[in-house]
């Protein structure tokens, strides 16, 4: 049996990878992306896009809706509902640049705009973005507020959803570095989810449609980042945005942007996130011949990746191994990573961005901790040494 997936032509994907710098919105880079970074770009988009302020965050920062295209396939995208998850925002602005000037891919751009109406909310939680926090200013997790609608930002998203009534939604997030894929535990650079609508995780008609889109995106990207695309757990979260939107008939693709080796600014991940968006849009309007079943062949995310592993630490003559997670925090407008140390009894099954095998001798764990803290993991010039 031939399973035909309507993916983007592989030559187009290759072109996007090779010429990515033409589409990269260079003005926004790194992890700390705030409204002040994106607002000047939004103001320049009005020649091609329709820009509307849909309201304000709790701290009175503007929330924008950006529309383009005239097609019957309606797709809604939003990013940074978790303020410190900015990779999706960067990918959206790359997509804007592509739509503005597609270079040699004019045919693909025109095809997208004829077939689709695209609506973007590129930073749903500007207060969280400013403080580099997951939560909004009321300390509400917007991705757990779909039923209660306690946050003003959740109300705005809901209003856009019911006004626009999209066939598909793309809910853009970042996942932590800990997620890994496959036997080799490579980092989960992109993970996807077709959210469940009930505890039994029933594979409904709508979920099958969402799964088909994800299977198509995976088919387009799996050769670019082999064994680095994962499937997120489809455990049902009764108050989550995706689960509720999917339940209400709006198929929702969740994209989690994750780690790529040494890419702590997530600038490489951003490129694949951008290509995943183009692929995803394409899957929505092509003739639907692909199968949702391929979704289940995408390997599930595991949590077997660390930032650092030290295998040869001697404390009071006893050999130990330690795993290090870097916790990112905003300190004086810079993202700083603080090492969180965990002793590893068995690390053979784990992988890390860097594995340090050089022998180090300390008198206590506290001394080892001080040694790590002195390294000062500033994300601006981030290197793991
Ligand atoms: Zn998130």
């Amino acid at each position: 049996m031939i399973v035909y997936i309507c993916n983007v032509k592989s030559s187009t994907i290759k072109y996007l990878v090779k010429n990515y710098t033409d589409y990269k919105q260079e003005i926004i880079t790194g992890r700390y992306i705030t409204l002040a970074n994106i607002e000047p770009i939004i103001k320049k988009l009005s020649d091609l896009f329709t820009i509307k302020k849909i309201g304000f965050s709790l701290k009175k920062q503007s929330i924008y809706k950006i529309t383009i295209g005239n097609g019957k396939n309606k797709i809604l995208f939003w990013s940074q509902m978790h303020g410190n998850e900015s990779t999706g925002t960067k990918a959206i602005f790359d997509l804007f640049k592509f739509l503005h000037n597609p270079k040699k891919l004019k045919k693909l751009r025109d095809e997208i705009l004829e077939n689709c109406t695209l609506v973007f909310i590129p930073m749903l939680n500007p207060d969280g973005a400013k403080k580099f926090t997951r939560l909004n200013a009321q300390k509400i997790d917007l991705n757990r507020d779909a039923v209660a609608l306690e946050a003003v930002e959740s109300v705005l998203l809901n209003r856009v959803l019911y006004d626009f009534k999209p066939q598909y939604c793309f809910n853009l997030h970042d996942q932590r570095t800990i997620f890994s894929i496959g036997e080799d535990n490579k980092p989960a650079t992109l993970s996807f989810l077709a959210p469940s609508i009930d505890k039994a995780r029933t594979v409904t008609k709508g979920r099958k449609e969402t799964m088909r889109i994800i299977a198509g995106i995976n088919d387009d990207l799996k050769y670019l980042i082999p064994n680095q695309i994962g499937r997120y757990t489809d455990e049902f979260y009764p108050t989550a945005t995706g689960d509720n939107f999917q339940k209400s008939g709006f198929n929702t693709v969740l994209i989690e942007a994750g780690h790529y080796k040494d890419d702590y600014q997530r600038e490489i991940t951003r490129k694949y996130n951008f290509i995943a968006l183009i692929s995803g849009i394409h899957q929505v309007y092509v003739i639907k011949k692909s199968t949702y079943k391929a979704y289940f062949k995408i390997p599930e995310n595991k949590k077997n990746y660390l930032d650092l592993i030290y295998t040869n630490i001697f404390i009071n003559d006893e050999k130990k191994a330690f795993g290090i997670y870097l916790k990112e925090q905003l300190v004086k407008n810079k993202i700083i990573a603080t090492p969180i140390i965990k002793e590893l009894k068995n690390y053979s099954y784990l992988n890390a961005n860097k594995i340090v095998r050089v022998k180090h001798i300390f008198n206590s764990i506290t001394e080892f901790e001080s040694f790590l803290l002195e390294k000062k993991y500033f994300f601006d010039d981030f290197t793991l040494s």
Side-chain angles (χ1 to χ4, degrees), residues 82 85 134 173-174 256:
H82 291 145
E85 299 175 6
R134 178 182 179 84
H173 289 257
D174 271 67
E256 294 276 356

Side-chain angles (χ1 to χ4, degrees), residues 251-277:
N251 295 333
T252 301
V253 173
L254 175 79
I255 304 184
E256 294 276 356
H259 187 65
Y260 186 99
K261 191 170 164 31
D262 291 334
D263 179 32
Y264 278 89
Q265 306 284 359
R266 298 213 166 156
E267 292 294 303
I268 297 171
T269 300
R270 158 200 195 154
K271 172 170 75 178
Y272 296 114
N273 199 348
F274 156 68
I275 296 170
L277 293 181

Side-chain angles (χ1 to χ4, degrees), residues 12-251:
T12 305
I13 297 282
K14 278 181 196 152
Y15 183 88
L16 283 168
V17 173
K18 198 167 166 234
N19 297 284
Y20 172 65
T21 48
D22 285 345
Y23 306 115
K24 184 176 178 178
Q25 179 49 267
E26 291 282 358
I27 300 168
I28 44 171
T29 53
R31 296 290 287 277
Y32 184 45
I33 308 292
T34 65
L35 186 65
N37 299 126
I38 63 166
E39 226 170 12
I41 315 171
I42 291 174
K43 289 195 170 136
K44 285 184 188 161
L45 290 172
S46 56
D47 56 341
L48 190 64
F49 298 78
T50 306
I51 316 293
K52 196 171 177 257
K53 232 181 237 191
I54 51 169
F56 297 94
S57 65
L58 193 79
K59 299 275 184 191
K60 298 284 171 252
Q61 296 199 82
S62 303
I63 297 172
Y64 290 93
K65 181 181 91 168
I66 298 165
T67 308
I68 191 167
N70 302 301
K72 63 176 180 1
N73 297 284
K74 298 196 280 183
I75 315 176
L76 173 64
F77 306 76
W78 65 93
S79 66
Q80 263 176 296
M81 75 186 311
H82 291 145
N84 56 358
E85 299 175 6
S86 57
T87 308
T89 303
K90 294 190 289 186
I92 283 178
F93 279 88
D94 295 345
L95 181 61
F96 290 163
K97 203 172 167 189
F98 164 83
L99 293 169
H100 231 139
N101 185 0
K103 303 276 174 175
K104 285 185 180 161
L105 298 177
K106 194 169 175 298
K107 201 169 153 263
L108 175 64
R109 189 272 309 268
D110 294 347
E111 192 183 278
I112 288 173
L113 297 184
E114 273 162 33
N115 284 288
C116 304
T117 303
L118 310 175
V119 168
F120 301 87
I121 304 173
M123 187 180 280
L124 184 64
N125 178 8
D127 296 345
K130 194 171 182 184
K131 289 188 130 185
F132 198 69
T133 58
R134 178 182 179 84
L135 309 177
N136 81 342
Q138 290 159 279
K139 301 216 177 332
I140 292 172
D141 182 339
L142 301 187
N143 203 24
R144 295 287 180 272
D145 191 36
V147 177
L149 295 176
E150 282 181 282
V152 283
E153 298 88 354
S154 307
V155 173
L156 291 173
L157 176 63
N158 228 53
R159 202 175 288 157
V160 171
L161 179 81
Y162 282 95
D163 281 350
F164 182 47
K165 297 186 182 68
Q167 279 101 29
Y168 285 95
C169 300
F170 284 79
N171 181 9
L172 307 182
H173 289 257
D174 271 67
Q175 63 187 350
R176 291 164 61 201
T177 307
I178 56 170
F179 291 103
S180 63
I181 294 160
E183 292 304 308
D184 299 339
N185 286 311
K186 291 183 96 176
T189 303
L190 289 177
S191 296
F192 294 89
L193 171 68
S196 294
I197 68 152
D198 55 23
K199 253 187 160 171
R201 309 177 191 195
T202 310
V203 179
T204 58
K205 183 175 168 282
R207 278 194 83 201
K208 283 181 187 172
E209 288 164 4
T210 306
M211 288 171 183
R212 183 186 68 80
I213 302 293
I214 294 171
I217 299 173
N218 179 53
D219 222 56
D220 278 341
L221 275 84
K222 66 185 177 190
Y223 302 104
L224 303 178
I225 37 172
N227 304 314
Q228 285 176 242
I229 299 177
R231 184 159 53 90
Y232 223 80
T233 172
D234 66 351
E235 184 188 340
F236 177 59
Y237 290 99
T239 61
T241 306
D243 305 46
N244 279 281
F245 284 15
Q246 183 71 51
K247 198 171 155 184
S248 309
F250 306 106
N251 295 333

